Amino acid sequence: MTAPESPRSILSGSFEPIDLHTAPQSLARAVHARRAEYVRPHKIRVKIGTWNVAACIGTDKDLARWFVDGQGIDKHFATLDLSRNPAVAHDHSAGHVDDPDAVRLLGGNDIGLYVLGLQEVVELNVTKEYVNRAVNIDSSPTGKWQAALEAAMPPGYQLVMSEQMTGLLLLIYASPEVAPTITNVSTKQVGTGLLGYFGNKGAITSRLVLGETTRMVFVNCHLASGAGSSYLDRRCWDVDQILARTKFDPVVHAGVSEDDGEMIGEEDFAFWFGDLNFRLDGLPGDDIRRLLTLHTRGEYGLDGHRVPRPPEGDGVIVMRGSESDDDDTTIKSSVHSREQSFDSETTLPDPDDFPEDPSQDPTSLQATLDSLLPHDQLRRVIAQRKVFHDGWREGPITFLPSYKYDVGTVGLFDSSEKQRAPSWCDRILYRTRKDKQDFDAMAAEEIAAKKKDEEMKSRGIDQDDDVLFSYDPETDGDEQSGLSGYCYDEYDETQDDNPEEVITKEGYADRIALDIYTSHQRITSSDHKPIISLFSLEYDAVVPELKGKVHAEVAWELDRAENEGRPAITIVMEGGKSAGENTIDLGDIGFLERKSSVVTVANTGSVAASLEFIDSPTTDDVDSSSSGWLTTSFLYPDDDQLGALGKVVTLEPGETVLAHVQAQVSNTSPLHALNDGRAKLEDVLVLRVQEGRDHFIPVKGSWLPTCFGRSIDELIRVPDGGIRKFLAEKDIKGAIPYDSEMRCSAPKEIFKLTEAIQTMVERCLADEAMLESMILPREPGWPFDSSTWTSGLTEQHETTANLVAALDNDSSITEALPVELSSPHKLELLSSVLLLFLASLTDGLVPPLAWAKLSTSLPNLTSLAPAAWADAKAQILDMFSSAPNHNIAFVFLTSTLARVATELSPATPEPFLPGLTRRLNFRGAEDEGEKKRKLRARKYAEIFGPLAFRTNDRDKSVKERERIVVEIFLSREAGG
């Protein structure tokens, strides 16, 4: 890796400086504008290898030899001019005494980034194995391959990522210089195998950011196997699924996260490799195998004056349990004869007999490869724009097909009964951001041209008279380019090796060049040959120390520029202390109780200041369950101007305003957490000053324990004196322990509330009879239906809070009611507190287990006739007996409701009116009263059904069953 002293010229000339006075809020933009000061060019080599190991035993022992050390290249089977290739190591130490012509690719410390994709690291021959490995992931192969790779790595190399999906394994290692600069590693799995989901086929894809500037994506895949057209379509489907279902985590720079995660195609450099399984079509497999075998034996193109050299040595097949997933049978154990073994260099033709450009010799191996490549399925689907047509490239194929070989041999293709045709199944493709952009631009042009052509045809114009030659995008494109945008590098010994420049997503200039693309033919432990690509990457990398210095300078400059004209305020709390010296402490706060405080805000700056309270950030933990307990408003400070102002207040220099902070826990949702101590009354108000800095005002209060928001099992353990006194004496900070002594058979709060309601109903009926001006509401839901309550009842916060405090302190709740209120108004207040108490019970009057037993035993509850309600009531009571405390509370409540319904549904249809007399039909009046009682009981059941049960189900049928149960207990037919 290199780090020159000066940055590239493109950084210093491509962006204009930021005017700090016109854009003081853009710190990130200002730092980015000076990136030429902290970005330096680097150059590394990226080595990408792919190998289908076919679950063969011992393949891990070959890893160091070919992937790290770069050995196993047979220069007679690789038609590149390796003597001049920049990826070849030319140190003589790489050679062996018995192999002076050995070729070794660059490896070891010369590589900045090692990327290895393996396929079939586990045995996957049977459907049962697929399913078993999908459910029970066997991670032992990962450790084996990591150990083999790390043993071969030079000291200091670090693991960037390791991911296994069934038989797929992706490993990335970085050099000591590169590893600290890698961030935002995000790895995703996409299984496309069995049922389109299992991981026996699919891809592992990893995204990383290099030097804070360059986004790289690596895709290790194993696509569907098989030679037929249906398998080809499935391979294309696999690719589409991998592209559609891979979404990386958002990139984070300097603690700031991008809005959305990226998909494949949004990176700067992408590399797609693995066992793509594309085959050769249109040629007999025997002919392909025979033709290539002649080359591997050195017999292709021999004239009568040349005699092939006899092979030397025997090639031994390494035994294994099964083949790769393409095969149904196993290779038979055998040792090839001398005529079948081609792993000796003496069997190969003399390299001097090849012309300088092998592709120009019709008898050369490269000419044979070039004649086979037009039949390659991958090239065909790209030409047809099915997959990989949007900018993907592949280096020149100058090596033998990677599949299928007899294990343990060099150059000996499948000799089993199936005799599979050789194919380039294993591939490495790559794409730059420029490649993708060029394709997108070309596609947009084609769409525009086609649209223009259709418009012209719709106007009756066959062709544009101004165009000398017509162009048909449907057909002419194929004539001009048989591959329709696919960039395949044909073998060209004189090709220009200058790196291609790419402008990255972050706006930096990178360059990449493919140094070599070849196979390791002399690696024989699998029926696939390893494929390797070596890239030279020049990229701009952020130097953290330099960026930190620039960031500090820009921040200081921005702060200085902003402070010159930004508004400023001073906050003074009650007691004369400033906001920085104190916190608003509202003291003890009970349920529904209101506490408030006033803060003075003064504009102490030289310009007008607009201020408002904004919502503070919340989290998903339990501490946020008490959020919403604070409200804020602005008030005039002068007595003659008292009144609330708007949400935003503007103060001129020297003016002041009062910020009124009010606290109230007004709903039941946070009660359980507050009572248990998992939530606290603590918050931070954010007072925002437009174009100025935010001010933070801490607010806290001490929560007073309450009987609301607790379970029945807790409340029956509270003795006389109330829950607050009990918890204080026992020093209980959270929930009441269930091993405490039980003090009553049901919560005392229910007894007190129902007794007070029943007494107040009697008082209301007496007042109606005595007072001519009083007429009680006749709605069937009164006094429990909130829609029937007296206007202004919901504003009686103080009275309701006093009733709650009376229950918590075990004092008289009737004395907490103001004497000036009418009896109907008092009854409504008591009813509202009862409803609130029942809603706050954490376990309900009837717990879920009892409800489940009831639903099972009485499935046809809604269809029961009233005549059968008495028997149903007895069965329900028998089931509720398993929770006696809940049972008693439920029966006591329903008994009270039944009496209230009876008392508020008199036999007389209407109250007596002064000055009028009428004759009474007692029989008719009695029938009318019973009808009203049933209607009232039904309405009460609708109100109290959801409060009494904890079914966690708001389905209409469930709600109807809840209503029926309560109505049975309120009905006279069942003895209510």
Side-chain angles (χ1 to χ4, degrees):
M1 180 184 297
T2 59
E5 292 295 324
S6 60
R8 298 183 191 162
S9 59
I10 186 172
L11 294 178
S12 59
S14 299
F15 299 90
E16 296 180 358
I18 300 297
D19 186 351
L20 299 181
H21 295 278
T22 59
Q25 76 285 0
S26 183
L27 174 61
R29 187 182 174 197
V31 173
H32 190 263
R34 293 179 54 180
R35 64 190 182 280
E37 300 178 32
Y38 57 81
V39 171
R40 296 293 182 267
H42 284 64
K43 181 176 181 180
I44 65 170
R45 282 190 167 91
V46 180
K47 194 172 193 178
I48 299 176
T50 178
W51 192 19
N52 186 325
V53 299
C56 292
I57 299 174
T59 46
D60 56 312
K61 295 180 174 59
D62 280 337
L63 190 59
R65 181 185 171 203
W66 72 269
F67 187 57
V68 179
D69 296 338
Q71 300 176 17
I73 300 292
D74 194 319
K75 66 180 181 180
H76 301 294
F77 296 157
T79 61
L80 289 167
D81 183 1
L82 297 176
S83 64
R84 294 186 297 174
N85 192 287
V88 175
H90 297 289
D91 57 309
H92 297 290
S93 61
H96 300 279
V97 176
D98 57 346
D99 190 3
D101 295 327
V103 176
R104 184 177 73 83
L105 298 185
L106 291 177
N109 291 309
D110 294 323
I111 306 300
L113 205 61
Y114 282 98
V115 182
L116 175 64
L118 300 174
Q119 303 86 44
E120 295 193 51
V121 296
V122 295
E123 182 68 40
L124 291 175
N125 266 356
V126 188
T127 303
K128 180 180 178 182
E129 285 290 330
Y130 291 150
V131 177
N132 183 56
R133 292 188 183 277
V135 176
N136 304 306
I137 300 300
D138 180 10
S139 59
S140 58
T142 300
K144 178 182 73 173
W145 285 97
Q146 278 187 222
L149 195 54
E150 291 172 2
M153 286 283 177
Y157 275 70
Q158 299 179 26
L159 177 66
V160 176
M161 63 77 56
S162 171
E163 187 87 5
Q164 180 189 350
M165 182 181 74
T166 313
L168 280 171
L169 178 61
L170 179 60
L171 298 169
I172 300 178
Y173 283 84
S175 68
E177 292 178 291
V178 175
T181 70
I182 294 177
T183 58
N184 290 283
V185 179
S186 177
T187 303
K188 304 298 177 182
Q189 298 182 3
V190 174
T192 63
L194 284 175
L195 307 177
Y197 171 79
F198 284 102
N200 57 299
K201 291 294 188 291
I204 300 173
T205 306
S206 187
R207 189 277 325 276
L208 58 85
V209 178
L210 192 60
E212 295 188 29
T213 61
T214 303
R215 306 177 189 215
M216 307 179 75
V217 166
F218 302 95
V219 184
N220 175 29
C221 76
H222 195 180
L223 306 184
S225 59
S229 60
S230 62
Y231 298 108
L232 175 60
D233 293 338
R234 182 55 188 251
R235 284 191 278 277
C236 295
W237 183 87
D238 287 349
V239 174
D240 290 338
Q241 288 295 301
I242 294 168
L243 291 170
R245 291 160 53 188
T246 301
K247 185 174 183 180
F248 303 110
D249 300 330
V251 171
V252 178
H253 282 319
V256 179
S257 174
E258 295 181 351
D259 293 337
D260 298 315
E262 296 175 325
M263 309 288 287
I264 298 176
E266 301 179 60
E267 67 286 334
D268 302 318
F269 300 100
F271 306 88
W272 193 305
F273 48 91
D275 185 355
L276 277 63
N277 256 321
F278 289 104
R279 312 303 174 90
L280 293 177
D281 277 345
L283 291 175
D286 291 341
D287 290 350
I288 301 173
R289 187 167 46 257
R290 185 181 306 110
L291 185 64
L292 293 175
T293 299
L294 290 174
H295 279 287
T296 59
R297 298 180 63 176
E299 297 176 356
Y300 191 91
L302 289 181
D303 53 30
H305 301 289
R306 296 181 58 192
V307 179
R309 299 177 181 177
E312 297 180 4
D314 293 333
V316 180
I317 295 181
V318 178
M319 291 304 298
R320 61 188 175 92
S322 64
E323 296 189 76
S324 65
D325 67 337
D326 293 332
D327 307 336
D328 300 325
T329 60
T330 58
I331 293 180
K332 296 180 180 179
S333 174
S334 64
V335 178
H336 290 279
S337 66
R338 296 173 62 85
E339 289 75 22
Q340 292 176 312
S341 178
F342 313 115
D343 59 348
S344 173
E345 294 185 10
T346 59
T347 66
L348 304 174
D350 189 345
D352 295 335
D353 293 339
F354 286 100
E356 185 174 349
D357 185 354
S359 64
Q360 300 303 313
D361 180 3
T363 65
S364 68
L365 174 59
Q366 185 60 48
T368 300
L369 301 182
D370 290 342
S371 69
L372 296 176
L373 285 171
H375 299 272
D376 177 40
Q377 288 180 343
L378 176 57
R379 301 188 72 188
R380 176 154 57 85
V381 295
I382 292 175
Q384 295 170 350
R385 294 195 176 185
K386 291 185 176 180
V387 291
F388 294 123
H389 56 280
D390 50 347
W392 289 96
R393 292 193 278 169
E394 184 179 20
I397 294 183
T398 60
F399 49 89
L400 290 171
S402 63
Y403 175 84
K404 171 181 180 21
Y405 294 86
D406 285 353
V407 177
T409 67
V410 176
L412 179 58
F413 295 100
D414 185 16
S415 64
S416 68
E417 294 179 0
K418 292 190 175 183
Q419 294 188 340
R420 295 164 185 79
S423 297
W424 285 280
C425 291
D426 308 276
R427 313 288 275 267
I428 300 177
L429 309 179
Y430 66 102
R431 182 177 67 182
T432 67
R433 173 174 290 273
K434 182 178 182 298
D435 294 330
K436 181 68 165 58
Q437 291 172 340
D438 290 346
F439 171 81
D440 291 341
M442 180 186 69
E445 290 177 1
E446 290 181 0
I447 293 174
K450 186 175 182 179
K451 183 178 180 181
K452 180 179 179 182
D453 183 62
E454 292 174 350
E455 290 176 353
M456 292 176 63
K457 288 181 180 179
S458 65
R459 291 159 48 196
I461 304 175
D462 291 338
Q463 67 181 46
D464 194 341
D465 295 335
D466 296 333
V467 179
L468 183 60
F469 301 103
S470 63
Y471 168 72
D472 185 355
E474 297 293 337
T475 59
D476 294 348
D478 292 339
E479 295 174 2
Q480 297 177 22
S481 174
L483 297 182
S484 298
Y486 172 58
C487 184
Y488 170 78
D489 296 330
E490 297 285 356
Y491 176 79
D492 183 4
E493 191 171 308
T494 62
Q495 65 183 352
D496 186 6
D497 292 330
N498 291 331
E500 174 190 357
E501 185 169 276
V502 177
I503 303 301
T504 69
K505 188 174 184 178
E506 302 288 344
Y508 299 95
D510 291 359
R511 294 181 178 87
I512 193 169
L514 174 61
D515 295 334
I516 197 169
Y517 180 39
T518 188
S519 67
H520 293 263
Q521 280 290 326
R522 289 194 170 272
I523 303 301
T524 62
S525 53
S526 171
D527 57 359
H528 290 253
K529 298 299 181 183
I531 304 298
I532 200 80
S533 278
L534 196 60
F535 295 88
S536 292
L537 175 64
E538 300 177 41
Y539 66 100
D540 292 312
V542 170
V543 180
E545 295 79 8
L546 297 179
K547 184 178 181 180
K549 180 181 178 181
V550 171
H551 187 279
E553 292 175 357
V554 171
W556 181 86
E557 186 65 23
L558 286 173
D559 189 59
R560 183 187 62 81
E562 290 180 22
N563 286 334
E564 291 178 354
R566 68 188 305 180
I569 64 169
T570 299
I571 299 176
V572 179
M573 298 187 185
E574 291 179 335
K577 294 184 177 181
S578 66
E581 299 174 348
N582 204 354
T583 299
I584 297 179
D585 190 347
L586 297 171
D588 294 336
I589 300 176
F591 181 42
L592 297 181
E593 185 180 359
R594 285 184 174 179
K595 290 291 186 73
S596 61
S597 179
V598 176
V599 175
T600 302
V601 183
N603 183 351
T604 54
S606 58
V607 296
S610 296
L611 28 136
E612 64 175 321
F613 285 101
I614 64 171
D615 295 333
S616 58
T618 59
T619 60
D620 294 331
D621 56 19
V622 295
D623 291 339
S624 64
S625 61
S626 60
S627 61
W629 64 289
L630 288 178
T631 57
T632 57
S633 60
F634 292 107
L635 304 173
Y636 286 115
D638 300 330
D639 293 338
D640 57 346
Q641 289 183 306
L642 287 177
L645 300 173
K647 182 180 180 181
V648 180
V649 174
T650 300
L651 299 178
E652 296 298 328
E655 289 186 341
T656 60
V657 72
L658 298 180
H660 184 253
V661 181
Q662 181 172 270
Q664 183 189 37
V665 179
S666 57
N667 58 74
T668 60
S669 57
L671 291 180
H672 187 51
L674 287 168
N675 287 332
D676 287 354
R678 292 181 290 112
K680 296 182 179 180
L681 295 181
E682 295 179 352
D683 208 341
V684 177
L685 297 175
V686 181
L687 181 60
R688 172 150 296 172
V689 181
Q690 295 180 9
E691 298 184 1
R693 70 179 184 89
D694 292 344
H695 293 259
F696 302 95
I697 306 174
V699 183
K700 68 177 182 179
S702 299
W703 175 247
L704 290 176
T706 179
C707 58
F708 288 72
R710 296 185 183 271
S711 67
I712 287 180
D713 288 333
E714 285 184 271
L715 295 176
I716 59 177
R717 289 165 169 79
V718 178
D720 293 341
I723 193 170
R724 293 182 184 175
K725 179 181 178 182
F726 172 64
L727 296 182
E729 291 178 349
K730 297 296 184 179
D731 195 25
I732 299 175
K733 301 299 182 183
I736 300 174
Y738 285 177
D739 58 357
S740 301
E741 179 184 357
M742 287 196 303
R743 304 303 182 110
C744 49
S745 58
K748 192 175 182 179
E749 292 77 12
I750 293 181
F751 293 143
K752 296 184 68 173
L753 284 171
T754 52
E755 182 182 6
I757 288 174
Q758 188 172 341
T759 301
M760 196 57 63
V761 168
E762 296 172 356
R763 176 65 182 273
C764 288
L765 292 172
D767 288 349
E768 184 184 39
M770 292 186 297
L771 302 176
E772 295 181 356
S773 60
M774 178 178 290
I775 300 177
L776 296 180
R778 296 304 175 190
E779 290 86 349
W782 190 82
F784 302 109
D785 185 356
S786 60
S787 64
T788 66
W789 290 344
T790 306
S791 176
L793 179 74
T794 55
E795 281 71 39
Q796 293 285 341
H797 296 290
E798 184 176 355
T799 301
T800 308
N802 291 338
L803 290 173
V804 171
L807 291 173
D808 292 336
N809 295 314
D810 196 16
S811 58
S812 172
I813 57 176
T814 55
E815 293 180 2
L817 294 168
V819 294
E820 65 271 14
L821 291 180
S822 64
S823 56
H825 202 159
K826 292 179 180 179
L827 177 59
E828 290 169 352
L829 282 170
L830 290 171
S831 300
S832 68
V833 174
L834 174 63
L835 294 172
L836 192 64
F837 177 80
L838 296 177
S840 73
L841 288 174
T842 59
D843 50 357
L845 290 178
V846 179
L849 182 59
W851 175 257
K853 292 171 61 177
L854 187 153
S855 300
T856 303
S857 302
L858 296 173
N860 301 319
L861 199 60
T862 56
S863 60
L864 290 178
W869 283 4
D871 293 337
K873 180 178 180 181
Q875 294 182 55
I876 293 172
L877 287 173
D878 183 59
M879 283 179 279
F880 285 179
S881 63
S882 60
N885 305 113
H886 291 263
N887 186 21
I888 293 173
F890 180 77
V891 171
F892 200 85
L893 172 68
T894 54
S895 299
T896 300
L897 295 178
R899 285 194 293 272
V900 171
T902 300
E903 293 175 3
L904 292 179
S905 304
T908 303
E910 298 293 340
F912 290 105
L913 298 178
L916 296 178
T917 61
R918 59 178 166 223
R919 291 179 300 174
L920 298 178
N921 184 327
F922 291 101
R923 178 71 179 181
E926 183 178 353
D927 292 343
E928 183 68 22
E930 180 61 22
K931 184 177 180 180
K932 289 183 177 181
R933 185 193 185 283
K934 288 182 178 180
L935 183 61
R936 189 177 297 273
R938 181 183 178 90
K939 188 64 177 179
Y940 286 1
E942 291 178 355
I943 296 172
F944 283 88
L947 300 177
F949 301 94
R950 291 295 183 268
T951 59
N952 295 323
D953 192 338
R954 298 297 93 188
D955 184 80
K956 285 186 177 180
S957 61
V958 176
K959 294 179 69 174
E960 181 66 13
R961 291 165 61 84
E962 295 172 346
R963 181 193 65 77
I964 285 292
V965 173
V966 176
E967 188 174 359
I968 287 175
F969 278 77
L970 301 186
S971 67
R972 284 178 172 170
E973 290 84 350

